[in-house]
Amino acid sequence: MSVKQQIIDTLTQVLVPVHLEVINESDNHHVPPNSETHFKVIVASAAFEGQRLIGRHRAVNEALKAQFDAGLHALSMHTFTPEEWDQEVQVPNSPKCKG
């Protein structure tokens, strides 16, 4: 199973998101072709209700501990409550890190 699918499956199970996007951004970095080491996650979940940003990020990092232990190198996170997501937030584009 791909790392991307592992992330999708894990976050779906743990956070029960109303919205989830997992984007492999490894090709923006100096890694071998077809790598799965750098991802961007956009997730809206009721599990984030009442949590500050740091708590939301900790929840995602904790959920993905096995993937980090297996070689996931970088994760960009954009975390929202369902209400915040319904306000049609704009998620910024990731910078190109390749020189």
Side-chain angles (χ1 to χ4, degrees), residues 16-76:
V16 190
V18 297
H19 179 84
L20 176 62
E21 292 177 60
V22 178
I23 304 160
N24 184 349
E25 296 187 327
S26 300
D27 62 342
N28 293 342
H29 301 272
H30 291 286
V31 296
N34 302 315
S35 291
E36 289 190 294
T37 56
H38 296 70
F39 286 87
K40 178 179 194 172
V41 170
I42 303 164
V43 58
S45 171
F48 298 143
E49 295 285 350
Q51 287 191 22
R52 298 175 80 169
L53 185 61
I54 188 74
R56 296 173 186 193
H57 286 199
R58 284 180 179 151
V60 172
N61 280 326
E62 183 177 317
L64 298 178
K65 183 181 182 324
Q67 286 76 23
F68 278 109
D69 289 347
L72 176 60
H73 176 72
L75 186 67
S76 170

Side-chain angles (χ1 to χ4, degrees), residues 2 8 27 29 44-45 52 59 69-70 74 76 78 85 87 89 97 99:
S2 72
I8 291 168
D27 62 342
H29 301 272
S45 171
R52 298 175 80 169
D69 289 347
S76 170
H78 302 276
W85 183 252
Q87 295 175 14
V89 295
C97 295

